[in-house]
Amino acid sequence: FLSVSAVEVKIEVVIPEKERSKEEMSPNGKASPLIYKVNGTARHYHLEEHPIASNPYHNPKDVVEASVCHVKDLENGQMREVDLGCGKALLIKESGEFHAVGHKCPHYGAPLVKGVLSKGRVRCPWHGACFNIGTGDIEDFPGLDSLPRFQVKIEKEKVYIRASKQALQTQRRTKMMAKCISLSNYNLSSTNVLIIGAGAAGLVCAETLRQEGFSDRIVMCTMDRHLPYDRPKLSKSMDSHPEQIALRPKEFFCTYDIEVLTEMQVAAVDIKNKTAVFKDGFKMEYNKLLIATGNTPKALSCKGKEVENVFNIRTPEDANRVVKLATSKNVVIVGASFLGMEVAAYLAERAHSVSLVELEEVPFKKFFGERVGRAVMKMFESNRVKFYMQTEVSELREQEGKLKEVVLKSGKVLRADVCVVGVGAVPATGFLKQSGINIDSKGFIVVNKMMQTNIPGIFAAGDAVTFPLALRNNKKVNIPHWQMAHMHGRVAALNMLAHGMEISTVPYLWTAMFGKSIRYAGHGEGFDDVVIQGDLDELKFVAFYTKSDEVVAVASMNYDPIVSKVAEVLSAGRTIRKHDVE
C-alpha cells in the first residue's frame, strides 16, 4: 500500500496471477496476412467493398437489458464491473452521472475496473491506454480499438444497462470510418496521402484519416513482407506467426480502402515535385506525406560478423528462426537492451544455455537505475541466464560456416549455436539525406508539436523522429516506444486535416520477462536520484525517478495501477515533488 498524499495517489491493487498471465497473450485473434506485391506494371489494386457493421441494436434478439445496482451503490468517482448475464460492462459514476462501457481494455484485455478514473476518462492499469467514459473512444494509446458504449437508464432508483450481446462479448469497437469515394478514377502513380512505413505510427495515421471522414486515396508502403503487425511481440513471444500478431486482418484494409504495398523501399523523396522514388525506379506523387520508417538495428563490427546464425530480431521470420535454432542449444545474446533481455527471458527455458554480454555493469542502468537493474539481473540469474558484464565481443568463430563460439574481449570463450544482437538501433532515414527535410546530427527527423517537418505537407512520426516533449518543457526528445508511435500517427493525421492538434501525451512503456511486467511512465533521461518504495528483492516495488526536486518518471513491478495513476497526474500538468514520494 502506498500513499502519496500531496498528489492524492492511493493504490491498493494486486493483479491475480491468472489475469497477469493473460496480459502477454496476443491482442488479436487469428488473421491472415494481406500481401500486395508490386511487380511489373500491375501496381494498383481495386479493393472490393465490404459492408460496415451497422447499429448494434438493429436486432432486438441481440439486445439485453439488466438492472445492475441501486443508484446509491456507487459514489462519484467509483467504477464497478457488472454482469449482464451474457457478458460484463464497466459501470462508472462521475459528477452524478452514470456511464457504461466495455470492461476490458481492447489492447490486451486488462480489467479496466483496476485502472484509473479521472476527468471523464479511464486509463488502463497495464499499458496506459485512455478511453472517454461518455463515448468509449480511445484517447491515448496503445491499441487501435475503442470501447463499446452501453445505454444507461435510471428507473425507481435502480440503474439499468441496455447493451448489444455482440458488443458485450467482443469488448471492442472500431470507430466509424469513411471509405474511398472511387479508386477507379485515380492515376496509378499518384495518391493524396502516402505513408512510408507500416508500423503503429503509419497505421494509426491511416485509420485516423478515415475516422475523420477523409475519403481520398491512402497508400502505405513497407519494406516488410507483411501487413502491419505488433513488432514488440517479436522479442516477448518469439514463436508468434505473422497472422497471430497482425494489428488488423486483411479484410479491414479492403473495407476501408487503405492500400498496402509490401516489399517496397523508398530510395529518395523529391520535395519539389512531391514525389517518392522507389528503389525499383517506380515513382509516386503525393499531396501529403508521412515518414514513419522506424529504425534499423545496429550490427556487430567484430571479426567474423558475417557468420551464419547471427541475428537481429527484425521480422517474425527472424524470431521464429532463432527459437528453432536455440531449442536445446547454446545461445549468446549481445546487449542487455529491452530486446536482448526479453529474448533472454523467452529462451531461458527452451535453450540449453543463455549467456548475455553487456558493456555496462548492470542491465537497464541508464533507464531504470542501478538498484532496479540489479534486482532484474538477480531474477534472470535465478532463471539460469549467465551474465558477462563490462565486456564486449571481439570475435565470432565458425565451424563449417556456422557459428560455434563467441570470443569476448575479456578473453572468455562462450559456446554458441546462435547469437542474437541487441546493441541499439539507428533511425532509418538515410534515404532523406539529400531531400531538404531537416535531419539532426544523429539522423533523426526533426518535427514540431504537430509532427510537421520543415517542409509543408510532410510529416514524420515514430522511432525516427525527435519532437518537443510537453512534460519536459518542450525539450526535443526521441522516444522509440509503441505507445508514442501510435500517438504520433494520430497527431500527424489530424494536422494533415488542419486540426491544429499538438502532442502532449505522457510516454508510457512496459517490458515483460518471466511472466512479470515492469511498467514505466514519464521521461527519466538525466534523472539524478531514485526513490524506491516496496521490496526490490520480492520484485514488488515502485521507483520514482527525480531530477532536482521533481519526479520525472516512475517504474513499477507488481504495484498496479500506480504507474497509470502517476501518468494521469502528469497528464493533468501537475508536478509531483520528491518530498511527496519519499
Side-chain angles (χ1 to χ4, degrees), residues 12-27:
E12 193 171 23
V13 177
V14 179
I15 289 192
E17 268 315 312
K18 70 170 192 247
E19 271 179 8
R20 199 175 301 124
S21 65
K22 282 189 216 156
E23 174 187 350
E24 304 314 334
M25 282 162 40
S26 172

mmCIF file with all atom_site columns, all heavy atoms in Angstrom, residues 12-27:
data_model
loop_
_atom_site.group_PDB
_atom_site.id
_atom_site.type_symbol
_atom_site.label_atom_id
_atom_site.label_alt_id
_atom_site.label_comp_id
_atom_site.label_asym_id
_atom_site.label_entity_id
_atom_site.label_seq_id
_atom_site.pdbx_PDB_ins_code
_atom_site.Cartn_x
_atom_site.Cartn_y
_atom_site.Cartn_z
_atom_site.occupancy
_atom_site.B_iso_or_equiv
_atom_site.pdbx_formal_charge
_atom_site.auth_seq_id
_atom_site.auth_comp_id
_atom_site.auth_asym_id
_atom_site.auth_atom_id
_atom_site.pdbx_PDB_model_num
ATOM 1   N N   . GLU A 1 12 ? -4.067 0.272   -3.926  1.00 0.00 ? 12 GLU A N   1
ATOM 2   C CA  . GLU A 1 12 ? -4.107 -0.977  -3.165  1.00 0.00 ? 12 GLU A CA  1
ATOM 3   C C   . GLU A 1 12 ? -4.618 -2.054  -4.105  1.00 0.00 ? 12 GLU A C   1
ATOM 4   O O   . GLU A 1 12 ? -5.742 -2.502  -4.004  1.00 0.00 ? 12 GLU A O   1
ATOM 5   C CB  . GLU A 1 12 ? -5.028 -0.838  -1.958  1.00 0.00 ? 12 GLU A CB  1
ATOM 6   C CG  . GLU A 1 12 ? -4.862 -1.971  -0.975  1.00 0.00 ? 12 GLU A CG  1
ATOM 7   C CD  . GLU A 1 12 ? -5.617 -1.703  0.308   1.00 0.00 ? 12 GLU A CD  1
ATOM 8   O OE1 . GLU A 1 12 ? -6.581 -0.916  0.286   1.00 0.00 ? 12 GLU A OE1 1
ATOM 9   O OE2 . GLU A 1 12 ? -5.241 -2.272  1.317   1.00 0.00 ? 12 GLU A OE2 1
ATOM 10  N N   . VAL A 1 13 ? -3.800 -2.403  -5.088  1.00 0.00 ? 13 VAL A N   1
ATOM 11  C CA  . VAL A 1 13 ? -4.249 -3.359  -6.104  1.00 0.00 ? 13 VAL A CA  1
ATOM 12  C C   . VAL A 1 13 ? -3.151 -4.370  -6.365  1.00 0.00 ? 13 VAL A C   1
ATOM 13  O O   . VAL A 1 13 ? -2.004 -3.996  -6.556  1.00 0.00 ? 13 VAL A O   1
ATOM 14  C CB  . VAL A 1 13 ? -4.563 -2.638  -7.439  1.00 0.00 ? 13 VAL A CB  1
ATOM 15  C CG1 . VAL A 1 13 ? -4.943 -3.648  -8.499  1.00 0.00 ? 13 VAL A CG1 1
ATOM 16  C CG2 . VAL A 1 13 ? -5.702 -1.659  -7.263  1.00 0.00 ? 13 VAL A CG2 1
ATOM 17  N N   . VAL A 1 14 ? -3.488 -5.645  -6.349  1.00 0.00 ? 14 VAL A N   1
ATOM 18  C CA  . VAL A 1 14 ? -2.544 -6.673  -6.798  1.00 0.00 ? 14 VAL A CA  1
ATOM 19  C C   . VAL A 1 14 ? -3.282 -7.520  -7.821  1.00 0.00 ? 14 VAL A C   1
ATOM 20  O O   . VAL A 1 14 ? -4.369 -8.006  -7.568  1.00 0.00 ? 14 VAL A O   1
ATOM 21  C CB  . VAL A 1 14 ? -2.087 -7.565  -5.625  1.00 0.00 ? 14 VAL A CB  1
ATOM 22  C CG1 . VAL A 1 14 ? -1.125 -8.631  -6.134  1.00 0.00 ? 14 VAL A CG1 1
ATOM 23  C CG2 . VAL A 1 14 ? -1.410 -6.729  -4.557  1.00 0.00 ? 14 VAL A CG2 1
ATOM 24  N N   . ILE A 1 15 ? -2.697 -7.660  -9.006  1.00 0.00 ? 15 ILE A N   1
ATOM 25  C CA  . ILE A 1 15 ? -3.367 -8.445  -10.049 1.00 0.00 ? 15 ILE A CA  1
ATOM 26  C C   . ILE A 1 15 ? -3.176 -9.927  -9.767  1.00 0.00 ? 15 ILE A C   1
ATOM 27  O O   . ILE A 1 15 ? -2.061 -10.374 -9.541  1.00 0.00 ? 15 ILE A O   1
ATOM 28  C CB  . ILE A 1 15 ? -2.777 -8.121  -11.425 1.00 0.00 ? 15 ILE A CB  1
ATOM 29  C CG1 . ILE A 1 15 ? -3.195 -6.725  -11.836 1.00 0.00 ? 15 ILE A CG1 1
ATOM 30  C CG2 . ILE A 1 15 ? -3.214 -9.118  -12.466 1.00 0.00 ? 15 ILE A CG2 1
ATOM 31  C CD1 . ILE A 1 15 ? -2.935 -6.400  -13.259 1.00 0.00 ? 15 ILE A CD1 1
ATOM 32  N N   . PRO A 1 16 ? -4.252 -10.725 -9.769  1.00 0.00 ? 16 PRO A N   1
ATOM 33  C CA  . PRO A 1 16 ? -4.094 -12.163 -9.585  1.00 0.00 ? 16 PRO A CA  1
ATOM 34  C C   . PRO A 1 16 ? -3.231 -12.734 -10.712 1.00 0.00 ? 16 PRO A C   1
ATOM 35  O O   . PRO A 1 16 ? -3.260 -12.232 -11.826 1.00 0.00 ? 16 PRO A O   1
ATOM 36  C CB  . PRO A 1 16 ? -5.533 -12.698 -9.703  1.00 0.00 ? 16 PRO A CB  1
ATOM 37  C CG  . PRO A 1 16 ? -6.423 -11.519 -9.606  1.00 0.00 ? 16 PRO A CG  1
ATOM 38  C CD  . PRO A 1 16 ? -5.626 -10.324 -9.985  1.00 0.00 ? 16 PRO A CD  1
ATOM 39  N N   . GLU A 1 17 ? -2.491 -13.814 -10.395 1.00 0.00 ? 17 GLU A N   1
ATOM 40  C CA  . GLU A 1 17 ? -1.568 -14.420 -11.368 1.00 0.00 ? 17 GLU A CA  1
ATOM 41  C C   . GLU A 1 17 ? -2.254 -14.725 -12.686 1.00 0.00 ? 17 GLU A C   1
ATOM 42  O O   . GLU A 1 17 ? -1.742 -14.456 -13.736 1.00 0.00 ? 17 GLU A O   1
ATOM 43  C CB  . GLU A 1 17 ? -0.992 -15.738 -10.817 1.00 0.00 ? 17 GLU A CB  1
ATOM 44  C CG  . GLU A 1 17 ? 0.314  -15.607 -10.060 1.00 0.00 ? 17 GLU A CG  1
ATOM 45  C CD  . GLU A 1 17 ? 1.366  -14.713 -10.705 1.00 0.00 ? 17 GLU A CD  1
ATOM 46  O OE1 . GLU A 1 17 ? 1.645  -14.827 -11.899 1.00 0.00 ? 17 GLU A OE1 1
ATOM 47  O OE2 . GLU A 1 17 ? 1.926  -13.866 -9.979  1.00 0.00 ? 17 GLU A OE2 1
ATOM 48  N N   . LYS A 1 18 ? -3.474 -15.305 -12.616 1.00 0.00 ? 18 LYS A N   1
ATOM 49  C CA  . LYS A 1 18 ? -4.082 -15.743 -13.875 1.00 0.00 ? 18 LYS A CA  1
ATOM 50  C C   . LYS A 1 18 ? -4.426 -14.567 -14.773 1.00 0.00 ? 18 LYS A C   1
ATOM 51  O O   . LYS A 1 18 ? -4.313 -14.650 -15.981 1.00 0.00 ? 18 LYS A O   1
ATOM 52  C CB  . LYS A 1 18 ? -5.276 -16.659 -13.627 1.00 0.00 ? 18 LYS A CB  1
ATOM 53  C CG  . LYS A 1 18 ? -6.521 -16.035 -13.038 1.00 0.00 ? 18 LYS A CG  1
ATOM 54  C CD  . LYS A 1 18 ? -7.653 -17.075 -13.109 1.00 0.00 ? 18 LYS A CD  1
ATOM 55  C CE  . LYS A 1 18 ? -8.993 -16.449 -12.824 1.00 0.00 ? 18 LYS A CE  1
ATOM 56  N NZ  . LYS A 1 18 ? -9.640 -16.871 -11.610 1.00 0.00 ? 18 LYS A NZ  1
ATOM 57  N N   . GLU A 1 19 ? -4.783 -13.431 -14.177 1.00 0.00 ? 19 GLU A N   1
ATOM 58  C CA  . GLU A 1 19 ? -5.044 -12.247 -15.008 1.00 0.00 ? 19 GLU A CA  1
ATOM 59  C C   . GLU A 1 19 ? -3.760 -11.687 -15.572 1.00 0.00 ? 19 GLU A C   1
ATOM 60  O O   . GLU A 1 19 ? -3.690 -11.235 -16.687 1.00 0.00 ? 19 GLU A O   1
ATOM 61  C CB  . GLU A 1 19 ? -5.765 -11.171 -14.193 1.00 0.00 ? 19 GLU A CB  1
ATOM 62  C CG  . GLU A 1 19 ? -7.261 -11.327 -14.253 1.00 0.00 ? 19 GLU A CG  1
ATOM 63  C CD  . GLU A 1 19 ? -7.973 -10.278 -13.443 1.00 0.00 ? 19 GLU A CD  1
ATOM 64  O OE1 . GLU A 1 19 ? -7.337 -9.347  -12.949 1.00 0.00 ? 19 GLU A OE1 1
ATOM 65  O OE2 . GLU A 1 19 ? -9.199 -10.408 -13.302 1.00 0.00 ? 19 GLU A OE2 1
ATOM 66  N N   . ARG A 1 20 ? -2.685 -11.758 -14.756 1.00 0.00 ? 20 ARG A N   1
ATOM 67  C CA  . ARG A 1 20 ? -1.421 -11.195 -15.216 1.00 0.00 ? 20 ARG A CA  1
ATOM 68  C C   . ARG A 1 20 ? -0.887 -11.982 -16.399 1.00 0.00 ? 20 ARG A C   1
ATOM 69  O O   . ARG A 1 20 ? -0.319 -11.450 -17.327 1.00 0.00 ? 20 ARG A O   1
ATOM 70  C CB  . ARG A 1 20 ? -0.407 -11.180 -14.079 1.00 0.00 ? 20 ARG A CB  1
ATOM 71  C CG  . ARG A 1 20 ? 0.732  -10.235 -14.331 1.00 0.00 ? 20 ARG A CG  1
ATOM 72  C CD  . ARG A 1 20 ? 1.681  -10.119 -13.181 1.00 0.00 ? 20 ARG A CD  1
ATOM 73  N NE  . ARG A 1 20 ? 1.019  -9.664  -11.972 1.00 0.00 ? 20 ARG A NE  1
ATOM 74  C CZ  . ARG A 1 20 ? 1.048  -10.339 -10.840 1.00 0.00 ? 20 ARG A CZ  1
ATOM 75  N NH1 . ARG A 1 20 ? 1.688  -11.457 -10.744 1.00 0.00 ? 20 ARG A NH1 1
ATOM 76  N NH2 . ARG A 1 20 ? 0.425  -9.871  -9.783  1.00 0.00 ? 20 ARG A NH2 1
ATOM 77  N N   . SER A 1 21 ? -1.081 -13.302 -16.377 1.00 0.00 ? 21 SER A N   1
ATOM 78  C CA  . SER A 1 21 ? -0.542 -14.110 -17.474 1.00 0.00 ? 21 SER A CA  1
ATOM 79  C C   . SER A 1 21 ? -1.261 -13.813 -18.785 1.00 0.00 ? 21 SER A C   1
ATOM 80  O O   . SER A 1 21 ? -0.690 -13.880 -19.849 1.00 0.00 ? 21 SER A O   1
ATOM 81  C CB  . SER A 1 21 ? -0.668 -15.593 -17.143 1.00 0.00 ? 21 SER A CB  1
ATOM 82  O OG  . SER A 1 21 ? -2.031 -15.946 -17.073 1.00 0.00 ? 21 SER A OG  1
ATOM 83  N N   . LYS A 1 22 ? -2.529 -13.422 -18.696 1.00 0.00 ? 22 LYS A N   1
ATOM 84  C CA  . LYS A 1 22 ? -3.285 -13.093 -19.914 1.00 0.00 ? 22 LYS A CA  1
ATOM 85  C C   . LYS A 1 22 ? -2.685 -11.894 -20.630 1.00 0.00 ? 22 LYS A C   1
ATOM 86  O O   . LYS A 1 22 ? -2.811 -11.722 -21.818 1.00 0.00 ? 22 LYS A O   1
ATOM 87  C CB  . LYS A 1 22 ? -4.730 -12.721 -19.554 1.00 0.00 ? 22 LYS A CB  1
ATOM 88  C CG  . LYS A 1 22 ? -5.629 -13.886 -19.264 1.00 0.00 ? 22 LYS A CG  1
ATOM 89  C CD  . LYS A 1 22 ? -7.045 -13.350 -19.142 1.00 0.00 ? 22 LYS A CD  1
ATOM 90  C CE  . LYS A 1 22 ? -7.817 -14.102 -18.068 1.00 0.00 ? 22 LYS A CE  1
ATOM 91  N NZ  . LYS A 1 22 ? -8.908 -13.348 -17.535 1.00 0.00 ? 22 LYS A NZ  1
ATOM 92  N N   . GLU A 1 23 ? -2.024 -11.051 -19.832 1.00 0.00 ? 23 GLU A N   1
ATOM 93  C CA  . GLU A 1 23 ? -1.556 -9.772  -20.357 1.00 0.00 ? 23 GLU A CA  1
ATOM 94  C C   . GLU A 1 23 ? -0.627 -9.946  -21.541 1.00 0.00 ? 23 GLU A C   1
ATOM 95  O O   . GLU A 1 23 ? -0.603 -9.140  -22.447 1.00 0.00 ? 23 GLU A O   1
ATOM 96  C CB  . GLU A 1 23 ? -0.819 -9.048  -19.242 1.00 0.00 ? 23 GLU A CB  1
ATOM 97  C CG  . GLU A 1 23 ? -0.164 -7.807  -19.677 1.00 0.00 ? 23 GLU A CG  1
ATOM 98  C CD  . GLU A 1 23 ? 0.685  -7.237  -18.584 1.00 0.00 ? 23 GLU A CD  1
ATOM 99  O OE1 . GLU A 1 23 ? 0.609  -7.715  -17.443 1.00 0.00 ? 23 GLU A OE1 1
ATOM 100 O OE2 . GLU A 1 23 ? 1.419  -6.316  -18.893 1.00 0.00 ? 23 GLU A OE2 1
ATOM 101 N N   . GLU A 1 24 ? 0.193  -11.013 -21.521 1.00 0.00 ? 24 GLU A N   1
ATOM 102 C CA  . GLU A 1 24 ? 1.175  -11.139 -22.593 1.00 0.00 ? 24 GLU A CA  1
ATOM 103 C C   . GLU A 1 24 ? 0.657  -11.965 -23.769 1.00 0.00 ? 24 GLU A C   1
ATOM 104 O O   . GLU A 1 24 ? 1.386  -12.332 -24.646 1.00 0.00 ? 24 GLU A O   1
ATOM 105 C CB  . GLU A 1 24 ? 2.483  -11.729 -22.039 1.00 0.00 ? 24 GLU A CB  1
ATOM 106 C CG  . GLU A 1 24 ? 3.072  -10.922 -20.883 1.00 0.00 ? 24 GLU A CG  1
ATOM 107 C CD  . GLU A 1 24 ? 3.099  -9.412  -21.111 1.00 0.00 ? 24 GLU A CD  1
ATOM 108 O OE1 . GLU A 1 24 ? 3.132  -8.950  -22.252 1.00 0.00 ? 24 GLU A OE1 1
ATOM 109 O OE2 . GLU A 1 24 ? 3.071  -8.678  -20.105 1.00 0.00 ? 24 GLU A OE2 1
ATOM 110 N N   . MET A 1 25 ? -0.642 -12.295 -23.751 1.00 0.00 ? 25 MET A N   1
ATOM 111 C CA  . MET A 1 25 ? -1.192 -13.017 -24.894 1.00 0.00 ? 25 MET A CA  1
ATOM 112 C C   . MET A 1 25 ? -1.368 -12.077 -26.087 1.00 0.00 ? 25 MET A C   1
ATOM 113 O O   . MET A 1 25 ? -1.296 -10.877 -25.963 1.00 0.00 ? 25 MET A O   1
ATOM 114 C CB  . MET A 1 25 ? -2.550 -13.624 -24.515 1.00 0.00 ? 25 MET A CB  1
ATOM 115 C CG  . MET A 1 25 ? -2.396 -14.876 -23.677 1.00 0.00 ? 25 MET A CG  1
ATOM 116 S SD  . MET A 1 25 ? -3.885 -15.328 -22.785 1.00 0.00 ? 25 MET A SD  1
ATOM 117 C CE  . MET A 1 25 ? -5.162 -15.009 -23.946 1.00 0.00 ? 25 MET A CE  1
ATOM 118 N N   . SER A 1 26 ? -1.630 -12.670 -27.240 1.00 0.00 ? 26 SER A N   1
ATOM 119 C CA  . SER A 1 26 ? -1.798 -11.860 -28.447 1.00 0.00 ? 26 SER A CA  1
ATOM 120 C C   . SER A 1 26 ? -3.011 -10.963 -28.325 1.00 0.00 ? 26 SER A C   1
ATOM 121 O O   . SER A 1 26 ? -4.035 -11.364 -27.797 1.00 0.00 ? 26 SER A O   1
ATOM 122 C CB  . SER A 1 26 ? -1.973 -12.794 -29.635 1.00 0.00 ? 26 SER A CB  1
ATOM 123 O OG  . SER A 1 26 ? -2.309 -12.058 -30.767 1.00 0.00 ? 26 SER A OG  1
ATOM 124 N N   . PRO A 1 27 ? -2.920 -9.716  -28.811 1.00 0.00 ? 27 PRO A N   1
ATOM 125 C CA  . PRO A 1 27 ? -4.053 -8.795  -28.689 1.00 0.00 ? 27 PRO A CA  1
ATOM 126 C C   . PRO A 1 27 ? -5.187 -9.116  -29.644 1.00 0.00 ? 27 PRO A C   1
ATOM 127 O O   . PRO A 1 27 ? -6.283 -8.658  -29.481 1.00 0.00 ? 27 PRO A O   1
ATOM 128 C CB  . PRO A 1 27 ? -3.444 -7.438  -29.046 1.00 0.00 ? 27 PRO A CB  1
ATOM 129 C CG  . PRO A 1 27 ? -2.277 -7.761  -29.898 1.00 0.00 ? 27 PRO A CG  1
ATOM 130 C CD  . PRO A 1 27 ? -1.759 -9.081  -29.439 1.00 0.00 ? 27 PRO A CD  1
#
